[in-house]
Amino acid sequence: MTWSHEDGVRATAPAGGVLEVGCDESGSDGENLTGGNTDVFAHASVWLSVESAAAAVQEIRDRIRSPAEEYKANHLLREKHRAVLEWLLAPAGPIHGQAHVHLIEKTFLVVDRAVDLLLGPGSTDAVVLFRIGPRAFGQERWRAFLTAANQLLRVRNDGEPEAPVEGFFREVDALRRASPRTTVTDRTTVTDRTTVTDVLDRLASARPRADAYRADVGEGPTLIPLLNPLLPAIVSTAAYWSAGGRPVRLVHDRQNMLTPERIAWIEETSRRAGVGLTGLRLVEARRDARVQVADFLAGIARKIASDELNGRGDPPLTALLRPYVDRASVWGDESSWGELVSPDEKRTDEERSPVP
C-alpha cells in the first residue's frame, strides 16, 4: 500500500459537531520523576478519522514488515526504519497538521511544583532556580536537591512521616550555604535584580506550607498527585484542540491512573478553565487506530525530545517534530527548548499551562 493524502480520509467536524481526538502517552514513571527510566514525558494526540488512522497504521506495517502483532514507537525509531519515521512526521505524511504533542521535562516539573506549593503559583522563581542551580552549585549537590524535592511532593512515603520535609529543607539549607549569590542576568527569564539566593531564602521560610502539605497527604488517598504528569497533560491537550470554542472529545488509551473520579476532575478542571472538553472515553489502544497512531507519536516525541535535552539531538528529526510540539509544554531547559519549537512559537516564561 502507498499512502497519499488522497487515500487517507481526514477527520472532519461538521458544523456544530464535536472533534474526536485519539490520545496516548509515553514516559510514565508515576511520581518518580528524578530517578525513573525516562527524563521526558510526552502526551500525544491525533485528529484523524478511524479510516485514515487505520490506513496509516497499515502503511507503517507494510513498510516495516515486522512479524510483531503490535507495533510500538521503537519499531519506527530503529535506524533501519528511519525512512518510515521521517515519512510519518513529514509535511506530506499522514499526521502533519492533524497531531499535537505536550512535552514535560520531568525534573523541571518537580521544581515547578515545589515552588508553586511553597511560594505560590504564577512566578518565575522555578525557572530561576532550575536554570541557574546546576551551574551555581554543581551537579551532585543539585541532584540531591531534586531528589529531596521529589520526595517532598510524592504521595508515597516509606519512611518516617516527617522525613520528606526534613530532607528537603536540609538540602535547601545546604544550597543556601553554598550559594555564590550569583545574580541572574538572563533577560529572557527574570530581571537582573533576582538571585538564586533570594529564591532559596524564601523557600527556607516556607516550611509551614510543606508541613501542611505532608499532613494532608497523610490523612488519606490523594485524588490528584502533584507530580503525576498525565492528568494536567490531558487538560492541556483538550485546551489545544478546543481553541476557538470547538467542542472536543478525547479517546484515550486505558490507564490505571484514569479512574472515574480523576476523569471527573479532568472534565471539571477543563470546564473551569474554559476548555471545551465534552468527555473522555477510554479504549484499548489496539482496538482504535487513532490511539495507536498517538502511541507512535508519543514514543517518538519523547525519544527525540530526550535526545535534544541531553545534547545528542538529531537535527533533521528535531526539525520534523517541531511543528507538533505544544508551546504550553512544561519545559525548563532553555537550550533544548529553543530547538524543539519554532522561533515564532517560543513560549515566554510567564506563559503557563492552563492546568493548576
Side-chain angles (χ1 to χ4, degrees):
M1 174 181 180
T2 301
W3 172 273
S4 74
H5 283 303
E6 289 71 28
D7 293 331
V9 181
R10 292 285 180 163
T12 58
V18 177
L19 277 66
E20 192 163 85
V21 177
C23 306
D24 206 351
E25 56 79 22
S26 178
S28 179
D29 287 313
E31 293 183 282
N32 185 15
L33 302 190
T34 59
N37 297 317
T38 58
D39 50 13
V40 172
F41 175 87
H43 187 264
S45 52
V46 297
W47 177 36
L48 297 171
S49 69
V50 174
E51 296 86 355
S52 183
V57 172
Q58 187 59 51
E59 179 72 9
I60 290 170
R61 297 186 69 94
D62 290 345
R63 293 184 182 215
I64 290 180
R65 297 187 178 279
S66 167
E69 288 189 13
E70 184 178 5
Y71 277 36
K72 305 294 285 185
N74 284 340
H75 286 89
L76 289 94
L77 288 166
R78 294 168 186 164
E79 184 58 35
K80 64 181 179 179
H81 299 314
R82 183 178 177 114
V84 186
L85 172 58
E86 292 179 345
W87 163 80
L88 179 67
L89 298 178
I95 65 173
H96 190 81
Q98 305 288 111
H100 188 65
V101 182
H102 183 79
L103 297 173
I104 294 178
E105 183 184 358
K106 292 184 177 181
T107 53
F108 178 65
L109 180 66
V110 171
V111 176
D112 187 57
R113 291 295 190 256
V115 169
D116 275 6
L117 173 69
L118 300 177
L119 303 184
S123 74
T124 58
D125 291 330
V127 177
V128 174
L129 192 56
F130 188 80
R131 290 185 177 172
I132 305 302
R135 69 172 181 262
F137 306 114
Q139 289 294 336
E140 183 176 354
R141 184 172 280 128
W142 178 248
R143 174 58 59 177
F145 169 76
L146 290 177
T147 301
N150 197 150
Q151 291 299 321
L152 173 68
L153 298 181
R154 69 184 302 178
V155 172
R156 181 176 177 178
N157 175 31
D158 297 326
E160 295 297 324
E162 66 277 6
V165 176
E166 294 288 349
F168 176 75
F169 285 97
R170 183 167 57 247
E171 294 303 328
V172 169
D173 287 341
L175 293 188
R176 292 172 73 204
R177 290 192 300 271
S179 175
R181 300 192 172 269
T182 302
T183 300
V184 178
T185 58
D186 184 351
R187 67 179 184 275
T188 66
T189 56
V190 291
T191 68
D192 58 9
R193 295 189 299 273
T194 304
T195 66
V196 174
T197 302
D198 294 333
V199 178
L200 292 172
D201 288 346
R202 284 183 285 124
L203 285 175
S205 66
R207 180 159 183 160
R209 290 192 177 189
D211 287 330
Y213 170 74
R214 292 308 310 180
D216 287 342
V217 168
E219 288 181 358
T222 301
L223 179 63
I224 310 299
L226 276 180
L227 289 183
N228 188 281
L230 176 61
L231 306 179
I234 292 175
V235 178
S236 190
T237 294
Y240 171 80
W241 289 106
S242 68
R246 300 173 298 185
V248 61
R249 179 169 52 246
L250 302 182
V251 181
H252 205 289
D253 185 29
R254 292 185 182 278
Q255 303 280 343
N256 291 335
M257 174 60 58
L258 295 176
T259 63
E261 295 79 11
R262 290 179 175 129
I263 291 175
W265 178 89
I266 290 169
E267 293 173 345
E268 174 60 19
T269 300
S270 298
R271 185 193 63 77
R272 287 190 280 105
V275 174
L277 178 62
T278 65
L280 173 61
R281 180 164 60 90
L282 302 181
V283 300
E284 293 183 43
R286 62 189 179 89
R287 297 186 181 277
D288 193 307
R290 297 168 299 180
V291 177
Q292 291 180 52
V293 175
D295 179 48
F296 295 155
L297 180 57
I300 291 165
R302 182 194 59 76
K303 178 62 164 60
I304 293 173
S306 179
D307 285 348
E308 198 64 59
L309 177 65
N310 289 285
R312 53 176 186 267
D314 185 320
L317 290 184
T318 299
L320 287 172
L321 178 66
R322 202 171 287 143
Y324 300 95
V325 175
D326 185 1
R327 65 176 296 168
S329 295
V330 182
W331 202 268
D333 181 71
E334 191 171 23
S335 176
S336 56
W337 182 248
E339 297 300 323
L340 289 168
V341 292
S342 301
D344 59 348
E345 287 292 310
K346 290 181 182 178
R347 178 185 63 148
T348 66
D349 294 317
E350 288 73 22
E351 289 181 305
R352 304 291 290 273
S353 168
V355 186

